[in-house]
Amino acid sequence: MKTAVLLISHGSRVAEANESLNKIADMVQEMSSAEFVEVAFRERQQPDIQAGIDACVARGAQRILLYPYFLFAGAHVLRDLPDEMARAGQRHRGLEMVLGKPLGVDRRLAEVVCTRIGETLADSGWELKE
């Protein structure tokens, strides 16, 4: 069964922010066993979630893991994304979809934050302990 990953982000008016999702998708494609990875945006940008699901189906996906590239399980993850899945299910009978867990609380994320803090401190010439 052909399985796709659909990375979903909120969407931004800032093009560079949206392009970041494409870069993450490329990394996920390289690092995972996913047959293919597509991207979609909840708001403000295209492709929207329905178009993202349609693109996966057009590429032959019979199963789609919708991965919310969000920090926490807020309204979009808990309410909006399940509604989007139900809408797509009406169009694509027999398509299996599952919603992944958002990034959440994870020590690895704290490590990334600490790295970024260190970079910012170095760039500014500041030190946390003087």
Side-chain angles (χ1 to χ4, degrees):
M1 223 179 223
K2 199 168 195 180
T3 303
V5 172
L6 180 63
L7 288 183
I8 301 168
S9 179
H10 188 274
S12 172
R13 288 180 221 128
V14 178
E16 294 80 19
N18 299 316
E19 183 54 34
S20 295
L21 187 62
N22 289 310
K23 291 177 182 175
I24 292 292
D26 290 343
M27 291 178 206
V28 170
Q29 180 70 68
E30 178 186 311
M31 297 167 64
S32 76
S33 60
E35 292 175 79
F36 60 89
V37 179
E38 293 281 344
V39 300
F41 300 95
R42 172 69 186 124
E43 297 176 8
R44 297 189 172 102
Q45 294 300 315
Q46 292 296 322
D48 64 15
I49 295 167
Q50 295 304 310
I53 291 170
D54 292 346
C56 291
V57 170
R59 291 184 67 183
Q62 297 146 314
R63 299 187 307 192
I64 304 173
L65 187 160
L66 289 85
Y67 183 78
Y69 193 67
F70 292 84
L71 276 178
F72 305 108
H76 288 319
V77 173
L78 296 175
R79 185 186 65 232
D80 299 335
L81 297 182
D83 288 349
E84 295 274 5
M85 292 168 68
R87 283 181 52 210
Q90 295 298 312
R91 284 194 324 283
H92 301 290
R93 300 285 182 186
L95 177 65
E96 295 180 37
M97 292 177 279
V98 65
L99 182 61
K101 296 176 184 175
L103 294 167
V105 178
D106 189 303
R107 184 169 188 81
R108 293 167 293 182
L109 291 174
E111 291 169 0
V112 171
V113 169
C114 287
T115 298
R116 296 293 184 255
I117 288 170
E119 292 167 354
T120 303
L121 290 171
D123 290 347
S124 68
W126 292 9
E127 292 182 29
L128 286 180
K129 296 181 183 178
E130 296 182 14

